Amino acid sequence: MIDKQWASAQEAVADIADGSSLAVGGFGLSGNPIALIEALLAQGTSDLSIVSNNCGVDDWGLGILLGAQRIRKMTSSYVGENKEFERQFLSGELELELTPQGTLAEKLRAGGSGIAAFYTQTGVGTQVAEGGLPRRYAPDGSIAVASPVKDVRTFAVDGTPREYVLEEAITTDFSLVHALRGDRHGNLVFNKAARNFNPLAAMAGRVCIAQVEELVEPGALDPDGIHLPGVFVHRIIEVGPGISKRIERRTVTTDGA
């Protein structure tokens, strides 16, 4: 029987070396694989290239790796909640490949599906397609690395010619994800917003490491309710339902409603 359970987060991430590329799940702070991120921080891995929707906040999620200057490059769609991210990017310490959110999701899905590239309308007529978007700044504020020009072609869709930009798929050395429930075969079930990027990140990693709140025996999960089949998952650890979860912005009404 295939048993993908590992004893601890520390053991599961031990072979992630300096310079590795990672796809990391999470949508805002929802579904961050924090136990795996903390284990990676503790072992000192650095020079990481990370693909994730965002980079957490200053003291949570991927933000703790960023604060320790372990990240060389981020590929993200949203970076607005992290002041240290802004500082490192504008000072030239961090490279950023800013990618439209839907395009980022599809690049991860395509990578996991064995699709090399695809054409999309998103970004046509902007620096996403035309190039020149800053990826890394020099210390003097000039652009040290800019995004390249991408191939744009015209396709007739529904009889109407439209321009589409070529986007290459993403695959990474490893992926780190969080799920609500999983079995020892690696089948995963996600909870609500945590399902947004975790399955896609899992697919893109050549070695996928999953932390789950509850680990069950094979056969306990409803086959029709499995969100990600175990074929994409290589290692799984149980972190328990009491693992800390953070809220990015707590907002309450002021009118007494």
Side-chain angles (χ1 to χ4, degrees), residues 113-220:
S113 302
I115 299 169
F118 58 92
Y119 281 93
T120 176
Q121 281 190 287
T122 304
V124 172
T126 74
Q127 285 183 300
V128 169
E130 296 169 358
L133 197 65
R135 286 190 175 177
R136 183 187 287 275
Y137 284 102
D140 63 1
S142 61
I143 298 174
V145 179
S147 64
V149 177
K150 296 179 181 178
D151 182 48
V152 176
R153 290 183 58 185
T154 300
F155 295 92
V157 178
D158 293 330
T160 303
R162 297 186 178 93
E163 288 188 329
Y164 292 77
V165 59
L166 180 69
E167 293 284 358
E168 295 184 8
I170 291 175
T171 56
T172 58
D173 299 323
F174 295 89
S175 56
L176 309 179
V177 301
H178 174 92
L180 175 66
R181 193 172 294 111
D183 64 26
R184 288 187 291 107
H185 286 179
N187 299 301
L188 301 180
V189 176
F190 302 93
N191 186 34
K192 299 182 173 66
R195 190 178 174 185
N196 281 337
F197 270 90
N198 271 296
L200 304 171
M203 293 173 67
R206 285 182 281 274
V207 176
C208 173
I209 309 170
Q211 65 172 59
V212 299
E213 295 180 39
E214 181 186 6
L215 187 64
V216 301
E217 290 300 311

Side-chain angles (χ1 to χ4, degrees), residues 39-53:
L40 200 57
L41 176 70
Q43 78 176 27
T45 310
S46 63
D47 195 36
L48 295 168
S49 176
I50 297 182
V51 182
S52 189
N53 179 60

Side-chain angles (χ1 to χ4, degrees), residues 16-100:
I16 299 180
D18 292 351
S20 295
S21 60
L22 284 76
V24 181
F27 187 72
L29 297 187
S30 177
N32 281 210
I34 190 63
L36 297 171
I37 292 171
E38 288 177 338
L40 200 57
L41 176 70
Q43 78 176 27
T45 310
S46 63
D47 195 36
L48 295 168
S49 176
I50 297 182
V51 182
S52 189
N53 179 60
N54 56 286
C55 197
V57 293
D58 288 321
D59 61 348
W60 192 252
L62 287 172
I64 64 174
L65 287 175
L66 184 74
Q69 297 190 314
R70 304 287 178 78
I71 302 175
R72 176 185 60 82
K73 177 184 178 181
M74 283 295 305
T75 301
S76 299
S77 67
Y78 177 68
V79 297
E81 298 293 337
N82 194 315
K83 293 180 180 178
E84 177 61 12
F85 192 108
E86 177 185 11
R87 188 199 68 76
Q88 288 191 25
F89 177 55
L90 294 179
S91 66
E93 299 171 35
L94 177 70
E95 184 175 341
L96 168 64
E97 186 171 346
L98 196 60
T99 306

